Amino acid sequence: MAMGKSYKIWHKINGQGPYSVLLEQRNRDEALLFESLVIAGLGPAEVDVVKKLYTKLSDAYGCLGVLLVNTGEGPLQYLVMVTGCVSVGKMGESEVFRINQTSFIPLKGPQTLEEERVTELRKLFNSGTFYFLWSSGEDPIDATLCTQKLQQNCGTDNRFFWNRLLHLPLQHYGIDCSHWLLRITCGSVEIRTVYAGHRQFKAAILSRLSCERAGTRFNVRGVNDEGHVANFVETEQLIYGDQGDVSSFLQTRGSVPLFWEQPGVQVGSHKVRFSRGPEASAPALERHLQLMQQRYHDTAIVNLLGLNMVGAKEGEASLSQLFQSDQKRYCETMPHIMFDYHQECKGGNLQNLAKLKQSLQPIFERHSFFLLKNQQVVSQQKGVIRTNCLDCLDRTNCVQTFIGLEILALQLDALEPQTKPQTWTRFEEVFRAMWVNNGNEISKIYAGTGAIQGGSKIMDGARSAARTIQNNLLDSSKQEAFDLLIHGGTGNEFIFDLARSLLPPHWSVLPADILHGLCSRYAEFTQPLPIRVAVGTYNVNGGHHFRSVVYKDSTLADWLLDSPHQDSAAASEEEGWRSADIYAVGFEEIVDLNASNIMAASSENAKAWATELQKVLSRDRPFALLTYVQLVGVCLYVFIRPELAPYVRDVATDSVKTGLGGATGNKGGVAVRFVLRNTSLCFVCSHFAAGQSQWAERNADYTEITRRICFPHGRKVEQHDFVFWCGDFNYRIDLDRDEVKEYVSLREWSSLLQYDQLKIQQAQGNTFVNYVEGEISFPPTYKYDLFSDDYDTSEKCRAPAWTDRVLFRKRRDHGQNPGRIAYYGRAELKQSDHRPVMAFIDIEILATRIEKTRSVLEDVVGRLGPSDATVVVQLLGDLERDDDQTSWADDEMILTSMLSRVNQAAGDVLLIRFAHEGLLLTFRNGTAALAAVALSPIQVNHLRLGIKLKTTDWPAAVARDFLLAAANTVPLFTPEGSVIPLENRTVDEDIRVLAQLANQIQTNDGLFKPAPSIQTGSSRSPMMPRPPPPNSLALQQQQQAKEWNAANSAPPPVEPPPPAPPIQAPPQVSRPLPPVPARNASQTSLPPPGPPAVQMRQALPPNGVVTAPQTQPAVNIMRAPPPIPARNLPPVPPRTIK
């Protein structure tokens, strides 16, 4: 049977009620209802009744899931449908389809304005690079698995399951996604039919792009902290015989697993910049090599980068050499073959690839290939070849084609011994053409154009020019589409950013209320660790004067290392001085601020300072360069102790220009952020506007830098746990020069600071709000004559001022150490007109203990209730077996009274449905459902009604979330005696804990009993206060109190952000109660509750869900809840809300 548009979408537009969408599928009697952010499965009887209220919207070939996007006005949901696709070919009984058109149906209503990133995601889906498999009979082949793994009955590989986050909303409501949603992969599929005599073969090349680090060419490079690389593609070369035989050979490609990038406009050049130092890159490189060994067993590297250290390829050669040297250090047994493709195959001379064959021949023999013949596995592939160039596109395409054709001869000989020469020629032609198309498709995803093959100079030139335009001007919006699909639409929300810092990576897909509950109790599962941070700033007046010619005995060590020892007061206060763990060193005017440098600043001085700083800092103990960032004359370096490198992640940099209204970088700020263990740190260095009276411009510079600095996932400066800000702020002293010098001579610092512009503006709340500065007990640092102790004697005679400062702030403080300044002073380096300033600050960072996190997870999941937020209301008493449990609801007065009481205790009811066993009420969240159950039994007039949860094993749903987010790749080849990788053992332990909790709740008839020994680790309650249910008396009293305080009190002072803000509830909709229609008496009953079973696994099960019983009744009709009767509330006495 041919595939057709088997999905029908209906919608209901009702001015008095919420917008509603109904999804039907051919050959299925059930339907899915989407209304008020609720997803419900409808039985056949209710579909017949409800469908009459809907009008047809469109048809579709398949459904990809529900996209959730959070906006400033609340959450938006889109139902993503496949409305156009073409068949590529068949693989066995499964047919492969390429998606070329999709439809995004807003579930809030057709009038919803579509966000730009949603539009970009639609373009990405419609680009022809996503595929799905379909079968008219049995389940289709899993496109995420290679043929060898299919024989092992492995589950879906999440690396190549691109729309998994779109499955989550349906999964939360207990919908079996395998019956309703497609699973798509991104990459390329080429299938051809080849005839050899009387036999027919299927030839195929399948490329699967990993979503672990997906993106576009200049936005995503190298490796991330988890060891995943950009443009990682698994390519499979397949031959299917007409008698069920099959042969498969697997290759991989991926970016160089170091932290590197190509900044600025790239026009044919290869300017490579290392975004982290070699020592800081080592842990990620080691993780990547370990992953390759775990997932593919035996890996051989073919490195095609250039080796010429002179000219335009210098950066490429440096990258290649560092990759080779570091790989040998951490995985010496892994073969690493260097082959300078441009040098060896210059002018299209591919004959020299024979040199590469000589090196690869032993690897071919050791790895072999997969062969299934006569339903028996004859051989297995025992390893892969990992090929890389700079982009992993053009050169990699050519070499992978060469390797594939070499193995093709072996595959044909194994399938069809004594293959005729003409048969081999026919296969070679077909596969060569498919390899070319495969290279073009992969190139389109990553670079936006087809591959540069070297065959036509005109075509290659056109594609090169198109790449330049695409990569530099258009790829940022495409990258947003990738991020939206892979990370979801909640990336810039406070609670999700906090969860990324505190919790394991696969926990980030949990619902917002669970994340909120976990993060609010971080003190229970984190351990504070002391860290000393040294922050320095120095305006070097346009040069790289490491040492004064006049004062030869003064070095940078006097400032960076020895300044506390040279201060007698500091030395007496702290015995046994402890050196810093982190150094952040900021410079201003690192280059001369002339016109040429402002337009295109040189990086030579920055590189020279990096080398010198590392040498100086490593005098007593080694330090490693984490990263640095430069904006014209402003440059910030971060160094760490090498033993901290494995615990550093999410490093990012940004810069903001503020000169000439933001047009030039002679003034501005640079920032570096990263997470150390589980605490986020941000370092900022800035150079503000100059001038004695320009304090307002300096305030504006601070505000602009704070507002415009933006790190990945929308992180802002003040969203970090600690912010350290240094620089030449240029704030002056509001006294004339002679008065200032008089105070300086008397060392009256406290009196002089009363006129300090920074202190004045900070006290007025105009700048650096909530930042802390150490006690200033040193002379002003500006402005000196060069190589002199005399303040400015030039014609301008500028007044001395503390222009060079270091401040810091802590985001939250719940009984923790807010930070202590161990030393704050200056050094006497005289090669500039400024004196450098140094601050040593003691802080505590948090380290998450995973075993403690699981115990908190149990308690939070149990307290928050089921994600479907649905209860069943039943009539209590002796009833006949066939009595309708909802007949009492025909009395509108009784129904209204019951809903009013439930609404008062638990908040709004979003959806009402009827089943033979009872009335189904769906609330906003699981906590509201638990509140409703607590009312049971409820007396309404002469009736006693019982309320129970529809789903009593809700921890199983959380386990299914983990399965979708976890790294679950099964090894390609597993030698005897191998153990399960650590990443899988960690997830399995999480699932075991949730399965145990599900059993406990099921045993207690759906009630969670918290452990009596729960310790919060502070005076706070176990859960952060949540907002009261909507329409509750408490909420109305709070609102009245807020209105009174707003009218009768001053605005509260600005406070640091709390640990997590309350989650925004969906907008309330008032709906009248319609009359109860007639109900079908032949409704199915609720299945009896059984023991929950959460499957332990090494990979996602083939159907994509964890086997756990769900109590899902067949329901008949939906209708809105009644309005709450008006009540006279007692007046709230005036009081101050603290």
Side-chain angles (χ1 to χ4, degrees):
M1 182 180 69
M3 180 182 182
K5 290 190 174 182
S6 57
Y7 287 77
K8 297 184 183 299
I9 304 99
W10 307 75
H11 70 154
K12 180 181 67 174
I13 303 177
N14 187 348
Q16 297 181 348
Y19 181 71
S20 180
V21 172
L22 197 67
L23 179 65
E24 284 189 304
Q25 187 181 3
R26 184 196 301 163
N27 301 327
R28 296 192 67 85
D29 297 329
E30 300 86 358
L32 296 182
L33 175 74
F34 303 85
E35 181 179 317
S36 301
L37 302 181
V38 174
I39 306 173
L42 310 183
E46 59 187 321
V47 172
D48 293 338
V49 175
V50 172
K51 191 175 175 181
K52 301 173 184 178
L53 306 175
Y54 289 74
T55 58
K56 187 174 180 181
L57 184 61
S58 63
D59 296 322
Y61 290 98
C63 180
L64 299 183
V66 173
L67 174 67
L68 176 63
V69 181
N70 279 334
T71 65
E73 300 177 356
L76 294 179
Q77 287 185 343
Y78 295 87
L79 183 63
V80 186
M81 306 299 299
V82 177
T83 55
C85 58
V86 294
S87 175
V88 178
K90 297 192 69 174
M91 297 170 54
E93 297 300 321
S94 300
E95 191 168 2
V96 184
F97 287 89
R98 178 190 295 120
I99 298 174
N100 57 24
Q101 188 174 355
T102 55
S103 174
F104 285 63
I105 301 172
L107 298 179
K108 193 175 181 180
Q111 74 282 358
T112 305
L113 295 177
E114 188 171 275
E115 284 203 341
E116 182 180 353
R117 51 182 172 164
V118 176
T119 303
E120 292 297 328
L121 180 56
R122 183 196 294 108
K123 292 179 183 178
L124 183 63
F125 276 141
N126 298 349
S127 62
T129 57
F130 289 92
Y131 298 82
F132 67 91
L133 272 70
W134 174 85
S135 177
S136 59
E138 57 188 21
D139 291 336
I141 295 173
D142 193 334
T144 67
L145 301 176
C146 66
T147 306
Q148 183 165 315
K149 290 185 181 180
L150 286 171
Q151 303 303 315
Q152 304 172 16
N153 295 320
C154 301
T156 297
D157 192 335
N158 285 342
R159 293 181 299 164
F160 310 121
F161 181 8
W162 276 71
N163 63 323
R164 51 180 173 164
L165 286 190
L166 274 61
H167 285 221
L168 281 175
L170 280 78
Q171 194 166 274
H172 289 162
Y173 283 91
I175 306 299
D176 188 348
C177 296
S178 64
H179 294 161
W180 290 96
L181 304 183
L182 301 172
R183 298 182 188 181
I184 59 173
T185 60
C186 183
S188 171
V189 179
E190 299 288 330
I191 302 176
R192 302 287 188 275
T193 301
V194 182
Y195 294 94
H198 65 284
R199 297 195 61 182
Q200 175 180 314
F201 294 87
K202 287 282 188 180
I205 292 181
L206 278 71
S207 285
R208 307 172 184 92
L209 175 65
S210 171
C211 63
E212 291 174 316
R213 182 162 168 75
T216 54
R217 186 183 178 201
F218 289 146
N219 289 291
V220 176
R221 291 288 209 188
V223 71
N224 65 9
D225 294 291
E226 286 74 38
H228 306 139
V229 295
N231 201 22
F232 184 86
V233 183
E234 184 182 276
T235 302
E236 185 177 13
Q237 179 174 280
L238 282 159
I239 305 175
Y240 289 94
D242 53 6
Q243 299 176 0
D245 301 341
V246 61
S247 178
S248 162
F249 177 70
L250 207 62
Q251 300 184 65
T252 63
R253 70 175 75 192
S255 186
V256 175
L258 298 170
F259 290 98
W260 61 279
E261 58 189 20
Q262 289 180 288
V265 177
Q266 303 294 314
V267 186
S269 64
H270 296 277
K271 296 179 181 178
V272 174
R273 176 185 178 272
F274 292 99
S275 53
R276 294 196 201 177
E279 298 90 344
S281 292
L285 170 65
E286 189 175 8
R287 291 187 190 109
H288 176 72
L289 298 178
Q290 290 174 352
L291 284 175
M292 291 298 296
Q293 295 288 63
Q294 290 173 3
R295 294 172 173 179
Y296 297 102
H297 182 52
D298 186 6
T299 302
I301 298 172
V302 176
N303 188 349
L304 306 178
L305 292 174
L307 302 176
N308 188 0
M309 294 294 293
V310 179
K313 304 294 183 182
E314 176 187 354
E316 183 175 317
S318 301
L319 183 65
S320 178
Q321 291 186 0
L322 184 59
F323 177 27
Q324 185 185 30
S325 61
D326 283 3
Q327 180 266 319
K328 292 298 182 184
R329 183 184 311 163
Y330 298 107
C331 193
E332 187 176 359
T333 59
M334 183 179 293
H336 192 128
I337 300 171
M338 303 288 292
F339 187 80
D340 188 342
Y341 183 91
H342 283 320
Q343 181 65 31
E344 298 290 347
C345 301
K346 186 181 300 184
N349 181 17
L350 300 182
Q351 300 300 321
N352 285 340
L353 288 174
K355 299 179 182 178
L356 181 61
K357 181 181 178 181
Q358 295 176 2
S359 302
L360 291 174
Q361 192 63 43
I363 298 172
F364 292 161
E365 297 172 358
R366 188 169 69 250
H367 288 180
S368 186
F369 55 88
F370 176 78
L371 177 63
L372 180 70
K373 197 169 185 179
N374 300 324
Q375 303 302 316
Q376 297 292 326
V377 176
V378 178
S379 67
Q380 288 185 298
Q381 187 171 343
K382 302 176 180 64
V384 297
I385 297 173
R386 182 198 189 280
T387 309
N388 72 268
C389 53
L390 197 67
D391 300 319
C392 298
L393 295 177
D394 309 322
R395 287 173 277 182
T396 301
N397 292 337
C398 294
V399 171
Q400 285 202 337
T401 301
F402 170 77
I403 294 173
L405 294 179
E406 290 294 323
I407 299 297
L408 176 62
L410 303 176
Q411 291 178 280
L412 287 175
D413 188 59
L415 284 171
E416 186 75 13
Q418 300 178 351
T419 304
K420 296 180 180 180
Q422 57 267 34
T423 301
W424 154 248
T425 303
R426 192 175 301 120
F427 270 97
E428 183 186 22
E429 292 175 354
V430 170
F431 270 100
R432 191 179 295 276
M434 287 195 299
W435 273 108
V436 170
N437 293 338
N438 175 77
N440 287 332
E441 292 301 316
I442 294 175
S443 180
K444 287 177 183 177
I445 300 171
Y446 192 54
T449 71
I452 298 176
Q453 305 287 349
S456 169
K457 291 185 178 181
I458 296 177
M459 179 179 293
D460 289 349
R463 286 180 174 176
S464 180
R467 275 187 188 181
T468 300
I469 297 173
Q470 173 76 30
N471 300 158
N472 289 289
L473 302 179
L474 306 177
D475 272 357
S476 58
S477 56
K478 185 177 179 181
Q479 184 64 49
E480 289 183 3
F482 274 117
D483 294 339
L484 178 61
L485 176 60
I486 297 168
H487 304 295
T490 56
N492 59 349
E493 285 198 3
F494 181 94
I495 188 63
F496 289 94
D497 181 61
L498 194 61
R500 275 191 290 266
S501 297
L502 291 173
L503 303 174
H506 62 277
W507 289 34
S508 61
V509 299
L510 294 177
D513 54 352
I514 295 181
L515 294 179
H516 184 281
L518 289 168
C519 294
S520 68
R521 296 169 57 177
Y522 67 90
E524 298 178 46
F525 57 81
T526 57
Q527 175 184 359
L529 300 175
I531 289 288
R532 174 161 287 183
V533 180
V535 184
T537 178
Y538 190 13
N539 187 318
V540 294
N541 197 24
H544 53 272
H545 306 291
F546 306 139
R547 185 187 294 265
S548 171
V549 176
V550 179
Y551 299 92
K552 295 182 179 181
D553 294 333
S554 298
T555 67
L556 291 176
D558 296 341
W559 164 43
L560 299 171
L561 301 174
D562 300 331
S563 53
H565 308 299
Q566 296 171 0
D567 188 326
S568 58
S572 62
E573 289 179 4
E574 176 126 1
E575 297 181 0
W577 178 263
R578 181 168 62 90
S579 61
D581 302 291
I582 301 172
Y583 269 92
V585 185
F587 291 99
E588 300 79 45
E589 297 187 30
I590 202 170
V591 297
D592 291 323
L593 298 183
N594 53 42
S596 61
N597 278 330
I598 290 175
M599 297 304 297
S602 169
S603 61
E604 294 305 316
N605 280 9
K607 293 178 182 178
W609 275 106
T611 303
E612 182 68 16
L613 286 173
Q614 185 165 15
K615 182 175 70 174
V616 171
L617 292 176
S618 301
R619 184 192 68 181
D620 302 324
R621 57 192 302 190
F623 273 87
L625 174 64
L626 179 63
T627 190
Y628 74 90
V629 57
Q630 178 185 5
L631 172 67
V632 188
V634 183
C635 195
L636 176 63
Y637 302 84
V638 177
F639 294 86
I640 60 172
R641 289 192 288 111
E643 54 266 33
L644 294 179
Y647 307 105
V648 171
R649 55 190 169 92
D650 295 342
V651 180
T653 63
D654 197 15
S655 61
V656 171
K657 300 176 182 178
T658 59
L660 296 180
T664 62
N666 60 313
K667 294 294 187 289
V670 296
V672 174
R673 67 92 56 191
F674 59 92
V675 175
L676 178 59
R677 290 191 181 266
N678 300 99
T679 297
S680 57
L681 308 176
C682 180
F683 297 88
V684 185
C685 179
S686 59
H687 195 182
F688 292 166
Q692 177 68 31
S693 59
Q694 275 69 38
W695 52 265
E697 286 81 352
R698 291 187 273 275
N699 292 347
D701 286 349
Y702 161 79
T703 303
E704 189 71 0
I705 293 171
T706 304
R707 182 182 66 86
R708 289 176 52 195
I709 282 183
C710 186
F711 300 108
H713 300 293
R715 300 182 183 101
K716 308 298 286 185
V717 169
E718 296 186 351
Q719 286 181 334
H720 294 80
D721 295 325
F722 286 95
V723 181
F724 304 88
W725 199 315
C726 67
D728 179 1
F729 299 157
N730 262 319
Y731 284 101
R732 308 303 172 87
I733 297 173
D734 289 330
L735 292 173
D736 62 42
R737 183 172 182 272
D738 292 335
E739 288 180 291
V740 173
K741 293 188 69 174
E742 179 68 20
Y743 277 115
V744 171
S745 65
L746 297 175
R747 303 184 68 85
E748 293 286 345
W749 312 130
S750 58
S751 300
L752 191 57
L753 283 169
Q754 296 178 15
Y755 303 96
D756 178 70
Q757 291 178 351
L758 176 56
K759 295 291 186 183
I760 295 172
Q761 295 303 313
Q762 190 178 18
Q764 295 176 358
N766 297 328
T767 187
F768 289 106
V769 178
N770 295 319
Y771 281 82
V772 177
E773 185 180 16
E775 180 183 355
I776 295 180
S777 58
F778 52 86
T781 58
Y782 172 85
K783 174 183 185 190
Y784 285 89
D785 293 337
L786 291 179
F787 308 109
S788 171
D789 289 325
D790 297 329
Y791 284 108
D792 187 17
T793 59
S794 68
E795 183 178 339
K796 294 184 178 179
C797 286
R798 297 178 181 86
W802 285 290
T803 59
D804 309 278
R805 313 285 274 267
V806 177
L807 298 91
F808 85 102
R809 61 167 284 171
K810 186 179 187 298
R811 177 169 63 181
R812 57 181 185 269
D813 182 17
H814 292 278
Q816 287 187 333
N817 182 3
R820 182 182 73 90
I821 299 176
Y823 169 77
Y824 188 41
R826 68 177 228 177
E828 300 305 317
L829 302 184
K830 303 176 183 180
Q831 52 265 42
S832 172
D833 56 355
H834 290 249
R835 293 294 185 264
V837 172
M838 201 74 198
F840 287 81
I841 305 168
D842 291 332
I843 64 172
E844 287 183 348
I845 63 171
L846 300 179
T848 295
R849 296 173 291 178
I850 186 63
E851 68 282 355
K852 296 288 186 180
T853 311
R854 293 192 181 105
S855 63
V856 178
L857 175 67
E858 282 188 271
D859 191 64
V860 169
V861 171
R863 291 174 184 270
L864 290 179
S867 57
D868 63 1
T870 301
V871 300
V872 183
V873 184
Q874 296 178 322
L875 184 63
L876 300 180
D878 296 331
L879 298 173
E880 298 294 334
R881 179 178 179 86
D882 295 332
D883 284 351
D884 187 353
Q885 269 282 4
T886 57
S887 59
W888 57 271
D890 290 332
D891 189 327
E892 186 170 341
M893 183 176 296
I894 293 178
L895 181 61
T896 301
S897 178
M898 184 275 297
L899 289 175
S900 176
R901 294 180 61 180
V902 170
N903 215 352
Q904 175 70 24
D908 278 352
V909 177
L910 301 182
L911 193 65
I912 302 177
R913 294 177 287 160
F914 292 90
H916 184 70
E917 286 73 18
L919 187 70
L920 301 181
L921 307 180
T922 300
F923 297 89
R924 295 187 184 277
N925 51 51
T927 307
L930 292 177
V933 171
L935 294 175
S936 182
I938 181 173
Q939 187 76 32
V940 180
N941 293 352
H942 61 284
L943 300 179
R944 288 182 74 245
L945 301 176
I947 305 176
K948 66 179 184 179
L949 294 173
K950 169 177 170 267
T951 303
T952 58
D953 61 340
W954 64 85
V958 181
R960 289 192 292 271
D961 291 349
F962 281 160
L963 287 176
L964 275 182
N968 66 341
T969 303
V970 173
L972 175 69
F973 176 77
T974 307
E976 294 183 5
S978 297
V979 296
I980 184 172
L982 177 62
E983 56 182 353
N984 287 351
R985 292 207 304 271
T986 301
V987 177
D988 281 339
E989 181 62 22
D990 295 338
I991 294 175
R992 186 197 64 78
V993 169
L994 292 170
Q996 183 177 348
L997 178 62
N999 277 297
Q1000 172 192 339
I1001 294 175
Q1002 188 77 35
T1003 303
N1004 295 331
D1005 298 326
L1007 298 179
F1008 170 69
K1009 296 181 179 180
S1013 59
I1014 290 292
Q1015 299 293 328
T1016 65
S1018 68
S1019 59
R1020 295 177 293 117
S1021 61
M1023 295 287 289
M1024 280 187 61
R1026 302 289 289 175
N1031 289 341
S1032 69
L1033 177 61
L1035 184 68
Q1036 296 185 40
Q1037 289 177 337
Q1038 282 188 14
Q1039 184 61 34
Q1040 291 183 16
K1042 287 180 180 178
E1043 292 174 357
W1044 187 92
N1045 284 326
N1048 297 276
S1049 64
V1054 178
E1055 296 289 342
I1063 307 300
Q1064 276 193 335
Q1068 178 182 343
V1069 180
S1070 299
R1071 302 183 288 266
L1073 180 67
V1076 181
R1079 296 184 293 279
N1080 195 318
S1082 61
Q1083 295 162 319
T1084 57
S1085 61
L1086 287 166
V1094 180
Q1095 181 177 349
M1096 305 296 290
R1097 60 90 189 92
Q1098 290 185 352
L1100 191 66
N1103 63 357
V1105 298
V1106 180
T1107 304
Q1110 296 290 324
T1111 312
Q1112 298 184 16
V1115 294
N1116 192 20
I1117 46 180
M1118 292 65 57
R1119 61 185 181 183
I1124 300 178
R1127 292 174 285 115
N1128 294 323
L1129 299 176
V1132 180
R1135 56 196 179 97
T1136 301
I1137 305 286
K1138 294 187 179 179

